[in-house]
């Protein structure tokens, strides 16, 4: 089952189309990317609400891609590619940004050119992302997920609004060590459950298991979590959240305090929603107590190394004003 980042989860179905298998050998281009060396590129991004999006071009179409560490594969938006290109029907259920989707289509991208980095034979799922496109007011070509990101060490920098990708070997060692000018100040081990980053931590000293997802616009905490941890969720208001299937759910939003991942990695109060994560846990196949998304990256300049299953952290510059 394909899995993507989410702020909340809603089931929808999509009508199938096409079953031919034509494959075009056209690359994706990132026009604003900067090549740092043979193995490293830096791509500026912008935040659309709390989603990280990069400008790209695919099949002569220009638009935006969401960077989603919670997505198992690359995804193309059927709105822009469904009428011209042919795809295989995907018989498995998949999940999408903010939702689960019953059916999708498969497309093999023979050449994925990341402004100089060429990846061969990557599979892309094709689904209807029109509601995200409408709600975010962007031309959304698709989503870049785990099957692209895993081959790189990925530096998500919300201070400079840029993502740095540097090629690694099978053991996670960078092919060029002259990448970061900034000093790495701490690190943290994680476990990779299929493609999902899972960390152990505490909330008010109560042990929790948390997923980390670059496309989660809101941190989430499970309603069923221990009351000792919920004591430090301070509710502020109720929100109505609209999913890409146009369904609405009501959640309790507030600030979550006393979150620590180890003795050195801890957080200030984080904007969080209290919700039911049962459906999400079915998808992940693991009992998660919550999801850390935008608020996590807003406080931590974070490097992800999938092969080593390790997070590295770089400090924000001190504000001297």
């Amino acid at each position: 089952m394909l899995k993507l980042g989410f702020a909340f989860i809603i089931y929808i179905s999509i009508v199938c189309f096409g079953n031919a298998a034509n494959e075009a050998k056209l690359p994706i281009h990132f026009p604003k990317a900067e090549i740092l060396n043979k193995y490293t590129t830096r791509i500026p991004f912008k935040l659309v609400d709390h989603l990280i999006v990069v400008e790209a071009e695919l099949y002569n179409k220009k638009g935006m891609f969401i960077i989603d560490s919670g997505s198992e594969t690359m995804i193309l938006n059927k709105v822009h590619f469904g009428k011209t290109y042919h795809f295989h029907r995907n018989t498995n259920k998949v999940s999408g940004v903010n939702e689960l989707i019953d059916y999708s289509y498969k497309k093999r991208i023979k050449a994925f050119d990341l402004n100089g980095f060429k990846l061969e034979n990557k599979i892309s799922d094709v689904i209807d992302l029109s509601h995200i496109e409408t709600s975010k007011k962007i031309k959304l070509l698709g989503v870049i997920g785990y099957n692209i990101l895993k081959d790189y060490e990925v530096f998500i920098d919300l201070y400079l609004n840029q993502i740095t990708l540097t090629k690694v070997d099978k053991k996670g060692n960078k092919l060029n060590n002259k990448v970061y000018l900034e000093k790495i100040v701490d690190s943290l081990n994680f476990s990779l459950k299929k493609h999902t980053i899972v960390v152990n931590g505490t909330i008010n000293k109560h042990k929790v298991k948390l997923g980390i997802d670059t496309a989660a616009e809101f941190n989430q905490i499970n309603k069923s979590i221990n009351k000792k941890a919920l004591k430090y969720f301070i509710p502020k208001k109720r929100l109505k959240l609209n999913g890409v299937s146009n369904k609405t759910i009501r959640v309790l939003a507030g600030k979550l305090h006393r979150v620590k991942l180890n003795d050195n990695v801890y957080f200030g109060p984080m904007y969080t929603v209290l919700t039911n994560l049962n459906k999400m846990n079915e998808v992940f196949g693991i009992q998660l107590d919550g999801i850390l998304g935008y608020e996590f990256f807003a406080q931590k300049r974070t490097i992800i190394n999938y092969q080593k299953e390790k997070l590295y952290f770089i400090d924000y510059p001190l504000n001297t004003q």
Side-chain angles (χ1 to χ4, degrees):
M1 181 184 288
L2 171 70
K3 305 169 184 72
L4 277 86
F6 37 74
F8 52 94
I9 300 176
I10 298 172
Y11 281 94
I12 67 173
S13 295
I14 287 182
V15 178
C16 68
F17 68 100
N19 55 17
N22 296 340
E23 295 177 352
K25 198 171 184 178
L26 295 175
I28 293 179
H29 293 287
F30 294 84
K32 295 183 179 180
E34 176 188 359
I35 298 296
L36 301 185
N37 58 55
K38 182 179 178 181
Y39 303 106
T40 307
T41 191
R42 179 185 294 144
I43 306 172
F45 63 74
K46 65 178 182 179
L47 289 172
V48 177
D49 294 332
H50 289 162
L51 290 175
I52 297 171
V53 299
V54 295
E55 183 180 331
E57 182 178 345
L58 174 63
Y59 297 121
N60 298 316
K61 297 177 184 289
K62 294 181 180 179
M64 310 304 292
F65 276 80
I66 296 170
I67 301 296
D68 185 357
S69 65
S71 169
E72 184 175 358
T73 70
M74 179 180 170
I75 290 180
L76 299 182
N77 187 356
K78 189 183 77 170
V79 172
H80 299 293
F81 301 107
K83 295 180 180 179
T84 307
Y85 306 100
H86 300 287
F87 310 97
H88 292 294
R89 170 72 176 274
N90 180 22
T91 56
N92 295 323
K93 286 186 177 182
V94 302
S95 62
V97 178
N98 301 338
E99 65 179 339
L100 293 175
I101 297 171
D102 283 336
Y103 299 106
S104 70
Y105 305 86
K106 292 287 188 184
K107 174 65 179 173
R108 183 175 293 276
I109 306 296
K110 283 190 172 180
F112 183 92
D113 191 343
L114 213 98
N115 203 49
F117 297 114
K118 181 171 285 189
L119 297 92
E120 303 292 341
N121 293 321
K122 290 295 182 181
I123 294 293
S124 173
D125 281 271
V126 183
I127 63 176
D128 188 344
L129 301 176
S130 60
H131 289 89
I132 297 177
E133 191 169 53
T134 300
S135 66
K136 300 302 180 185
K137 298 181 176 61
I138 59 174
K139 183 179 180 180
L140 181 62
L141 297 186
V143 173
I144 294 173
Y146 167 77
N147 74 330
I148 302 296
L149 300 175
K150 67 181 177 63
D151 296 325
Y152 298 92
E153 192 169 86
V154 183
F155 180 17
I156 305 290
D157 188 352
L158 261 68
Y159 174 68
L160 296 175
N161 277 16
Q162 60 191 22
I163 179 172
T164 301
L165 302 173
T166 187
K167 187 74 174 177
V168 297
D169 62 21
K170 292 182 179 179
K171 294 183 178 180
N173 299 312
K174 294 189 294 292
L175 299 183
N176 187 305
N177 286 318
K178 296 180 180 179
V179 178
Y180 312 120
L181 296 176
E182 300 90 344
K183 181 182 178 181
I184 292 174
V185 296
D186 217 325
S187 64
L188 181 72
N189 294 326
F190 66 82
S191 58
L192 196 62
K193 303 300 182 183
K194 295 184 179 178
H195 68 280
T196 304
I197 297 170
V198 179
V199 296
N200 294 314
T202 62
I203 301 174
N204 188 29
K205 299 182 180 180
H206 174 73
K207 292 182 180 180
V208 291
K209 196 175 292 289
L210 304 168
I212 294 177
D213 186 349
T214 61
E217 295 189 77
F218 304 95
N219 281 2
Q220 299 167 74
I221 196 73
N222 202 347
K223 288 181 177 180
S224 63
I225 198 171
N226 187 284
K227 290 182 179 180
K228 183 178 178 181
L230 278 183
K231 179 180 177 181
Y232 285 90
F233 171 74
I234 311 301
K236 299 291 185 182
K237 57 184 177 181
R238 290 191 177 273
L239 294 179
K240 288 184 179 180
L241 299 182
N242 294 314
V244 293
S245 59
N246 270 346
K247 293 184 179 180
T248 300
I249 63 171
R250 294 181 65 86
V251 296
L252 191 61
K255 290 291 184 73
L256 184 64
H257 300 249
R258 297 200 178 187
V259 177
K260 295 181 69 173
L261 301 184
N262 63 24
D263 289 339
N264 299 317
V265 181
Y266 50 88
F267 299 85
M270 292 188 288
Y271 192 71
T272 302
V273 297
L274 183 67
T275 188
N276 188 330
L277 298 183
N278 291 340
K279 292 294 184 184
M280 180 200 72
N281 284 328
E282 289 179 15
V283 172
F284 278 79
I286 184 173
Q287 190 65 32
L288 294 178
D289 298 300
I291 294 290
L292 300 178
Y294 167 79
E295 291 279 319
F296 171 90
F297 294 99
Q299 292 195 30
K300 300 290 183 184
R301 301 169 78 193
T302 303
I303 299 166
I304 302 169
N305 191 309
Y306 284 100
Q307 308 302 328
K308 292 187 175 183
E309 296 191 4
K310 210 167 185 73
L311 301 175
Y312 302 93
F313 302 107
I314 292 172
D315 277 343
Y316 276 83
L318 293 175
N319 188 348
T320 57
Q321 294 182 354

